[in-house]
Amino acid sequence: EDKVVQSPLSLVVHEGDTVTLNCSYEVTNFRSLLWYKQEKKAPTFLFMLTSSGIEKKSGRLSSILDKKELFSILNITATQTGDSAVYLCAVGYYGGSQGNLIFGKGTKLSVKP
Amino acid sequence: DAGITQSPRHKVTETGTPVTLRCHQTENHRYMYWYRQDPGHGLRLIHYSYGVKDTDKGEVSDGYSVSRSKTEDFLLTLESATSSQTSVYFCAISSRDPGYEQYFGPGTRLTVT
């Protein structure tokens, strides 16, 4: 059965800390790995990764994919209280009649002042 | 939010009544999706559409039907609402083939009493 597992489930840090969120997957016919940020509303798209070893970066956030070991990490440096959210990992697949996304259950990040 | 609106944003209804949720997009994207999000389960796909009048079932389609008569509108209907359908419902759109990034609407919180 295809699955996406995120760890840790929750994390509490202080402003200025660096955090690493993990996403491992077992998905047939892999197409992409995506990260979303959800702050009590709709998930907001952060990154999409399709190739191993190529880092995607946006400001203090960065992410990388390892297709051999089947995982991705999302790094947030110099955290701010505005980074508090649930971070969702999703894996895209293709084939059959239901090529789509499988979501992990998320990592809840709390950043304390 | 990528030109996606959902209506209503909140609804309380009684068990056994029919309910229709609407997703409207102004992006002219081909693909549209309905998800539900529940604690402990994450985001799960209900139905999706790959064009006008072309729809398919997702992981948790029982008790739901959809229709797409125009590119911009995707309707989700609960024929006879049950308490297990109390959830937050998100619509998502994409211009790319399934398995790539999707953009989410603001969500509808549905409570079935």
Side-chain angles (χ1 to χ4, degrees), chain A residues 31-34 36 38 41-45 48 50 88 91-94 96-105, chain B residues 1 33 35 37 40-45 48 56-59 90 96-107:
Chain A
R31 178 162 259 176
S32 69
L33 187 138
L34 305 103
Y36 288 85
Q38 187 172 25
K41 51 183 182 178
T44 302
F45 174 71
M48 184 175 74
T50 56
L88 300 173
V91 173
Y93 65 95
Y94 65 93
S97 64
Q98 294 193 359
N100 215 308
L101 303 182
I102 300 173
F103 283 84
K105 295 182 179 178
Chain B
D1 290 322
Y33 304 84
Y35 291 89
Q37 187 173 40
H41 289 279
L43 280 158
R44 293 179 293 173
L45 181 67
Y48 69 105
D56 207 344
K57 295 179 179 180
E59 176 190 359
F90 287 104
R96 300 189 65 175
D97 288 342
Y100 293 118
E101 72 273 23
Q102 298 174 10
Y103 298 92
F104 286 82

Side-chain angles (χ1 to χ4, degrees), chain B:
Chain B
D1 290 322
I4 313 169
T5 57
Q6 293 184 231
S7 59
R9 295 292 312 279
H10 300 271
K11 185 170 182 67
V12 179
T13 191
E14 293 184 349
T15 298
T17 59
V19 176
T20 296
L21 309 182
R22 180 184 185 231
C23 177
H24 179 78
Q25 59 144 330
T26 58
E27 304 295 323
N28 201 36
H29 284 350
R30 175 181 177 185
Y31 298 96
M32 298 185 76
Y33 304 84
W34 277 108
Y35 291 89
R36 61 179 289 176
Q37 187 173 40
D38 305 288
H41 289 279
L43 280 158
R44 293 179 293 173
L45 181 67
I46 305 172
H47 281 280
Y48 69 105
S49 170
Y50 37 95
V52 173
K53 292 185 168 47
D54 286 326
T55 65
D56 207 344
K57 295 179 179 180
E59 176 190 359
V60 290
S61 60
D62 287 349
Y64 301 95
S65 62
V66 290
S67 66
R68 191 169 178 200
S69 59
K70 298 185 290 184
T71 299
E72 58 266 35
D73 289 325
F74 192 30
L75 304 180
L76 177 70
T77 297
L78 291 67
E79 300 292 346
S80 178
T82 67
S83 58
S84 64
Q85 294 176 312
T86 292
S87 186
V88 179
Y89 291 86
F90 287 104
C91 174
I93 65 174
S94 178
S95 61
R96 300 189 65 175
D97 288 342
Y100 293 118
E101 72 273 23
Q102 298 174 10
Y103 298 92
F104 286 82
T108 294
R109 182 173 295 277
L110 175 68
T111 302
V112 183
T113 61

